[in-house]
Amino acid sequence: MRRPALYSSSRRRGPAPVATAAPQTEAAGTAIDTPSPTKPQRAVTVRHGRILWLAIVSLTVALGASLWLAARPIPRALTQADIDAAVQHTLQTKSLPSPIARAAAAVGPSVVRVVGYGHATRKSREMTERGIGTGVVIVDKGVILTNLHVVQGAERIVVTFADGLDSPATITSTQPENDLAVLQAHKLPDDLQAATLRSTQNLRPGDQVAAIGFPFGIGPSVSAGVVSGLGREFQSPPGKRQLSNLIQFDAAANPGNSGGPLVTMDGEVVGIVTAILNPTTARTFLGIGFAVPIENAAAAVGMPPF
């Protein structure tokens, strides 16, 4: 049988209708896409994540600190026995300065070397040393106490301070009855220190003292001993001067110590070393020295009494 011919229609047709998609229904085993989050939503999520992370870290640190503190032993209170043991350990393992060393260090910056110069003969132009002694600064403006016999008759006086500075000095006053002279230095160190003076009212025989000076020009030298007596009298060998109310001490002193300070263990000056007792013609120390009480020395300067 012949099949009929197929022809296209000659009539113009309008645009074909757009097919409307049928709503999708969730079928078994078919995944449904979730709408992706917008930018604000992502920012909120990140921020919340950071806060959560910081909270976890803080909690972990706090927990660790609590466990560490709980594990630490509670320190016990110090007792007197602990303190005594610590002090004893320090004394056994460390070398502390002696009281004499501390006293010398306290007064050392105030001790000076005193040299008197004079012409050997009337016709000589050269000056030679006529006497070497010691002095102590009692006012930081350069006021120095020494013995009168150290500088008496000197045509020129030079003092050497603890820092090595040499300075000319002049005698401003004397007290012959106590063998004392007051000097004024012309040049001063920048950091000059005056010694601390102490009354002899509470000084007792047996108290430790130190004599500081330049024995035979060597020094400053330190010797130590005790107060041997109070209110002593002494007459110089030639019999020219009678001294009274002296401090007797047994710290070694020799020519050159004259005018130096006699110092307590607190580093305070209680006297000015003046003489040594030696029944022989030798000018050496045999164990008895004398010092003028500082009250007399202060009076020579015009300082008020203690």
Side-chain angles (χ1 to χ4, degrees):
M1 175 185 288
R2 295 179 63 182
R3 296 180 62 183
L6 296 178
Y7 301 93
S8 62
S9 174
S10 61
R11 192 188 316 178
R12 290 188 66 180
R13 297 180 182 178
V18 178
T20 304
Q24 293 182 346
T25 59
E26 183 177 357
T30 303
I32 300 177
D33 294 335
T34 304
S36 57
T38 62
K39 289 184 179 179
Q41 290 174 332
R42 285 198 299 269
V44 170
T45 302
V46 171
R47 184 167 61 250
H48 286 177
R50 289 177 180 173
I51 293 174
L52 180 60
W53 181 81
L54 289 174
I56 293 173
V57 171
S58 300
L59 182 60
T60 303
V61 171
L63 181 60
S66 300
L67 293 174
W68 180 75
L69 289 174
R72 285 182 63 196
I74 300 175
R76 63 185 183 85
L78 286 176
T79 64
Q80 186 60 47
D82 296 330
I83 298 173
D84 293 343
V87 172
Q88 185 66 27
H89 176 73
T90 301
L91 293 175
Q92 292 175 349
T93 57
K94 293 187 179 296
S95 178
L96 300 178
S98 69
I100 298 167
R102 292 196 298 269
V107 76
S110 307
V111 178
V112 301
R113 185 173 185 261
V114 181
V115 180
Y117 293 90
H119 290 96
T121 63
R122 292 182 180 179
K123 296 181 180 181
S124 173
R125 293 185 178 181
E126 284 190 24
M127 283 193 171
T128 59
E129 291 183 0
R130 300 187 61 176
I132 298 177
T134 309
V136 58
V137 178
I138 60 171
V139 180
D140 59 8
K141 293 182 180 180
V143 179
I144 299 167
L145 266 177
T146 188
N147 280 149
L148 178 57
H149 73 261
V150 172
V151 295
Q152 193 169 32
E155 299 175 60
R156 182 170 176 258
I157 301 170
V158 176
V159 296
T160 304
F161 292 97
D163 67 349
L165 175 68
D166 290 330
S167 171
T170 53
I171 300 173
T172 58
S173 65
T174 62
Q175 197 180 74
E177 65 273 21
N178 287 310
D179 191 22
L180 293 173
V182 181
L183 307 179
Q184 175 63 60
H186 298 174
K187 294 190 298 182
L188 306 179
D190 294 332
D191 56 350
L192 182 61
Q193 297 181 32
T196 300
L197 310 183
R198 171 183 161 181
S199 170
T200 60
Q201 182 177 358
N202 297 323
L203 200 63
R204 297 289 181 268
D207 286 345
Q208 284 188 300
V209 288
I212 304 174
F214 292 84
F216 303 108
I218 303 171
S221 300
V222 180
S223 60
V226 299
V227 173
S228 303
L230 300 169
R232 301 292 199 242
E233 294 187 351
F234 174 77
Q235 187 172 8
S236 59
K240 295 181 179 179
R241 188 174 290 121
Q242 178 77 28
L243 303 176
S244 59
N245 191 35
L246 300 174
I247 302 168
Q248 180 186 335
F249 62 90
D250 67 353
N254 285 287
N257 276 105
S258 295
L262 188 69
V263 185
T264 67
M265 294 300 97
D266 294 326
E268 298 171 333
V269 180
V270 290
I272 300 297
V273 176
T274 300
I276 57 176
L277 179 61
N278 190 332
T280 71
T281 56
R283 299 175 63 215
T284 54
F285 185 67
L286 291 181
I288 297 179
F290 298 104
V292 177
I294 200 61
E295 288 88 344
N296 298 28
V301 187
M303 297 176 66
F306 292 96

